[in-house]
Amino acid sequence: RWPAYCRPFSRSQRPHPTMAEEEEQSQFIKLKSKQEEIFEVERDVACRSVTVKNMVDDTGSDTPVPLPMVDSKILIKVIEYCKYHHQAETTFVPEDEKTNWDKEFVKVDDETLFNLILAANYLDIKSLLDLTCKTVADEIKGKTPEEIRVRFNIKNDFTPEEEEEVRRENAWCEER
């Protein structure tokens, strides 16, 4: 017998469903993009994002989770990434297969790649943030500042004097 102070309510007596009951009710989460498009995503897939998980834990899954910082086009890519990695974990896909999939996934234009970085950061999806940042780092590795500027179309706004000062201050970086 349960003591009176810790006896569980019957389902009809509880004013709000328990978390387990709520999960039973809703296996899907609705995500709302910056353009206010709604994407219905499996709960386990959506909750790979710490941001989404926290919002669902705080507010429940009845209403769409607003993601005003994430464009629809990018959200579709993020969902694709999360779906693949969720499935890969549950079906024990070999690491080399996941690595190959990831390499193909990040073969996108620069704008998409940088927006994926911003989305992964905002949504707190560490593995996606690591993957996208590593992709940019690999592009930069071994290049001179001028080559990096050309590759990423970055305007040099330093005067020659400022550039020389930066080189002197950071000479230790050039030593190999």
Side-chain angles (χ1 to χ4, degrees), residues 9-124:
F9 288 106
S10 73
R11 192 173 186 149
S12 60
Q13 291 174 309
R14 273 194 300 273
H16 301 289
T18 65
M19 193 62 112
E21 290 166 351
E22 195 172 290
E23 285 182 25
E24 225 177 72
Q25 293 168 6
S26 176
Q27 291 300 322
F28 288 87
I29 304 289
K30 290 180 179 160
L31 305 176
K32 188 194 304 187
S33 71
K34 181 180 185 175
Q35 290 79 10
E36 303 204 356
E37 284 185 74
I38 305 290
F39 298 87
E40 199 165 279
V41 182
E42 284 180 61
R43 179 185 213 90
D44 290 341
V45 171
C47 288
R48 292 184 78 84
S49 159
V50 176
T51 303
V52 170
K53 182 186 181 315
N54 289 342
M55 290 172 109
V56 170
D57 287 349
D58 291 348
T59 63
S61 58
D62 296 339
T63 58
V65 176
L67 302 173
M69 304 299 288
V70 186
D71 196 77
S72 292
K73 174 185 153 199
I74 298 303
L75 186 54
I76 289 167
K77 291 286 288 175
V78 170
I79 293 168
E80 176 189 355
Y81 175 87
C82 291
K83 272 185 184 177
Y84 175 81
H85 280 275
H86 176 69
Q87 180 209 1
E89 280 179 17
T90 56
T91 58
F92 305 104
V93 171
E95 279 304 311
D96 60 330
E97 259 184 65
K98 285 192 272 188
T99 301
N100 290 336
W101 188 91
D102 284 348
K103 283 180 184 172
E104 288 303 310
F105 179 79
V106 291
K107 286 185 179 175
V108 294
D109 61 88
D110 290 346
E111 182 181 1
T112 300
L113 183 60
F114 289 120
N115 283 322
L116 280 169
I117 290 171
L118 295 173
N121 186 48
Y122 173 72
L123 294 170
D124 198 354

